[in-house]
Amino acid sequence: MQGWTGKILDIDLSSGSINTQPLDKEMARLYLGGRGLGGRLLWDLVGPEVDPLAPENVLIFTTGPITATGVQTSNRFNVSTKSPLTGTLLHSNSGGWWGMQFKRTGYDALIVRGKAPEPVMITITPEEVTIEDATHLWGKTVFETTEALGQDRNKRNVLCIGPAGENLVRIAAIMNDRERALARGGPGAVMGSKNLKAIVVEGDAKNQPADKDQFKFMLYETRKLLKASPLTSQAFPEFGTAVVLNAVNEIGALPTRNFQQTQFEHAYEISGESITDKILVTNQACWACPITCTRLTKTSSGQEGEGPEFESTWAFGAQSGIDDLELIAEANYLANDLGLDTISMGNTIGCAMELAEKGFLPADLRFGQAEKLHDLIHDTAYRRGLGDDLAEGSYRLAEKFGAPQLSMSVKKLEMPAYDPRGMQGQGLVYATSNRGACHETGNMLGPEVLALPRLIDRFATQGKAGIVSVHQDSAAVVDSLVYCKFVNLAVAEEFFARTLTAITGIRFTADDLMKVGERVWTLERLYNLREGFTAEDDTLPDRMLNEPVADGPSQGFTANLAPMLEEYYQFRGWDENGVPKPEKLQELGLADLVAVA
Amino acid sequence: MLVKLFGNLRQHTGQLAVTASGTTIGEVLQDLCAAYPSLEKAIFDSDQLQAHVRVMVNGHDIELAHGLDTPVSETDQIAVFPPIAGG
């Protein structure tokens, strides 16, 4: 079975048992890997009775059939679990080197169950798997832990949590390769709840394609397309992901001061252009990636690190009313070192600032207080003072202080850097995303702003449901193979199918892949329904629905969600309550799952 | 009127914001290219905009208005973006 190793490593930290189980071939064909395989395994392992921070929750690390083949961006991997922030199914993926290296140890996936009595770390090589004491690492930051465990880019890779994960912060990330993150939804807290500090991988097994000649051809063609696209060959290397900040601001969709405004008057000072002008040292790449979007930056105080990416720049910048690029970059370094989701951290800080300004939160906190970023982030990771409330995420914070409407979140996951009032389709993406407000599960930035692949009216609602659904299914495909989504800017599903065919020896078409995407999306929906979520949870914050934008290019607009949602359910083959109809489940091969639910 | 040039388009003008005149966006951009000749290749492909180049008037993409024939006035804010992506 080429593309897949056919083996799942299964570790129970409660008993210390280490087992290997075979990967079901049919499951691999239907769900591919990454997010799809992780979600399918989670369906069987974690039911609605399980608290996300209980030993019965699991962490499932998954690679895909393309991982470690050397095809462009074949470095990524996924983690699936039940989220301690949202209570939904959670999938999160990351780049770097760790995913490639884990695959090279000879496994497609790793299931971690139970809870170790004391802090431990896992080491995986092709020869052996060990669970060792990690008491000496507990309390160390991500950077300290990564260095202590001997991170070596192409040979030995470290995945770990920082203090935030240890302290069960609900917005804690799992970090890999020092500054890469499985961030959204709090997987770091799940890892912390298991007393698992780190997973080190060192492998040498090759993921050899079934058809070497065709694979080489696909590598060549993919390289050609990535080079020909000005997006992947110029825009990302020159300015990184934050280059879109000015465009999102220009159209009046850059959330500012906790989404009270949609344009930030200091947007240019914190944009990708300014990062390049002021703090960029060099650009870097993940394993097997020619795009090189990563920013290595250094501030005048001598601090250096990766990023900030667009979302992090926004979260610690416009969302918090802060225009000091150097302090934003340093906030990003700190959040990475402590193991926090920068989107949720910055969004929650912005929420706290509005709560304080409006008198709900008794704290000396105002928008624009850049000097407070460091302490707020630090205190969140260690749950000190106000940080203990921030550690619960914006929804629980705002609810505790009597103003849940000021949490800019969906299903308790903080919204990222696009205001749905200026991008109606993006609002539908947030409202229906299975892990809560998330742009990565079907980002409409392309069609609604950048004309990728073509421009549609960002204020229109009619017809958006179909476009959003296709984007969501496509993202699920990319997350299951696992590619980087930026490749998809130059390379279409047809190419993915041909490459996958060359790797696995199994014929896949673009239609087959899109069916996988729909299957994965629907499975996630079923999971959340089983957890008790309903159509009522497919919504947006009251501010988005009822407060028109006061000025700028999006002036007068609210998020007109209801008609899009109705159309969305119909397009997806779901009933008016957002429940997939039996014939849709039959079509996707999911009917058996519901029968046993 | 004020025209902001983002990303690597700034290299052609040496600054973020410059002024240009015209009654349509096409005329404004031609005026700009006359002042900064190297800009023409970066923005135009023959008489059309380069693929992925976005031009906005007051935050609205001209593709959904009248393209290069979109009328403009002195108080309008124009933004020109080279091919970009992110998120």
Side-chain angles (χ1 to χ4, degrees), chain A residues 331-517:
Chain A
N332 181 66
Y333 306 151
L334 181 64
N336 285 342
D337 196 19
L338 299 176
L340 285 159
D341 172 5
T342 55
I343 296 177
S344 283
M345 184 73 259
N347 184 315
T348 302
I349 288 172
C351 176
M353 287 172 165
E354 186 176 0
L355 286 168
E357 284 197 352
K358 294 194 167 159
F360 292 105
L361 178 67
D364 177 22
L365 196 57
R366 298 288 180 270
F367 285 108
Q369 290 179 322
E371 72 281 5
K372 294 204 172 171
L373 273 181
H374 179 280
D375 286 354
L376 289 168
I377 294 167
H378 195 267
D379 289 351
T380 299
Y382 290 96
R383 284 188 172 276
R384 288 177 189 149
L386 175 60
D388 193 33
D389 291 316
L390 300 181
E392 294 292 294
S394 72
Y395 186 83
R396 289 175 176 85
L397 168 78
E399 186 180 45
K400 176 177 176 179
F401 290 98
Q405 72 279 9
L406 298 188
S407 166
M408 295 300 121
S409 61
V410 175
K411 299 182 179 77
K412 299 189 179 73
L413 184 69
E414 288 73 20
M415 294 202 292
Y418 311 93
D419 193 305
R421 292 170 293 186
M423 295 169 63
Q424 296 289 324
Q426 197 78 311
L428 183 61
V429 171
Y430 288 172
T432 57
S433 166
N434 292 311
R435 66 176 188 176
C438 168
H439 63 297
E440 288 287 1
T441 56
N443 200 346
M444 291 292 281
L445 175 68
E448 290 195 321
V449 183
L450 302 177
L452 302 170
R454 59 187 62 85
L455 190 67
I456 58 175
D457 184 353
R458 61 194 171 93
F459 296 117
T461 55
Q462 195 173 14
K464 285 284 169 73
I467 299 168
V468 163
S469 298
V470 170
H471 268 66
Q472 289 174 331
D473 293 349
S474 175
V477 171
V478 173
D479 289 345
S480 300
L481 281 168
V482 183
Y483 273 104
C484 171
K485 292 195 176 74
F486 294 160
V487 173
N488 211 186
L489 292 166
V491 180
E493 282 76 13
E494 173 63 26
F495 259 73
F496 295 158
R498 290 166 64 191
T499 304
L500 184 60
T501 300
I503 291 170
T504 62
I506 302 168
R507 185 172 180 273
F508 286 92
T509 65
D511 287 346
D512 293 334
L513 291 186
M514 290 305 288
K515 189 60 76 181
V516 170

Side-chain angles (χ1 to χ4, degrees), chain B residues 3 7 11-12 14 17 21 35-36 38 41 46 52 56 66 71 74 78 83-84 86:
Chain B
V3 183
Q11 295 162 6
H12 300 279
S21 41
Y36 306 97
S38 66
K41 265 191 169 177
S46 181
H52 305 304
M56 297 172 192
H66 300 284
E74 274 304 310
I78 296 166
I84 56 169

Side-chain angles (χ1 to χ4, degrees), chain B residues 37-58:
Chain B
S38 66
L39 194 58
E40 181 148 6
K41 265 191 169 177
I43 294 179
F44 285 107
D45 179 6
S46 181
D47 58 348
Q48 296 298 310
L49 288 175
Q50 286 270 9
H52 305 304
V53 167
R54 307 315 309 165
V55 178
M56 297 172 192
V57 177
N58 301 325

Side-chain angles (χ1 to χ4, degrees), chain A residues 178-197:
Chain A
R178 188 179 151 101
E179 288 170 277
R180 297 278 141 185
L182 301 148
R184 304 240 63 196
V190 178
M191 194 155 151
S193 75
K194 296 184 176 304
N195 271 333
L196 177 58
K197 179 67 179 177

